[in-house]
Amino acid sequence: TGDHMLLSELSPGQSARIVSLAQLEPAVRRKLMAMGLLPSSEIRFIRQAPMGDPLQIATSSITLSVQKALANLIEVQAV
């Protein structure tokens, strides 16, 4: 571990810590942060929809679906 990657690059079942949400639009970043997706939060990649979009992820408090385009902007670090 130690290498930064994109949320969209995780494999199902893999856990990671959010490193940066800086590439997201401010409104989207605020919405995700309000739901508990904060830098340094740990997330788990659950599964990808059959067509590849959306991706299902879980934090300690919620499970949510994220569009792949959005997942391509969220920097994570595998844990």
Side-chain angles (χ1 to χ4, degrees), residues 13-35:
Q14 193 173 6
S15 291
R17 185 165 282 119
I18 295 175
V19 175
S20 172
L21 300 170
Q23 294 186 57
L24 297 173
E25 290 177 33
V28 174
R29 184 167 59 234
R30 273 196 302 275
K31 194 177 288 185
L32 288 177
M33 290 174 81
M35 288 190 280

Side-chain angles (χ1 to χ4, degrees), residues 2 4 8 13 16 22 27 31-32 35 37-38 41 45 50 52-53 55 57 59 65 69 74-75:
H4 291 188
S8 56
K31 194 177 288 185
L32 288 177
M35 288 190 280
L37 248 65
L38 304 165
S41 299
F45 181 78
D53 213 354
L55 315 177
I57 63 171
T59 67
S65 294
I74 298 175
E75 228 182 293

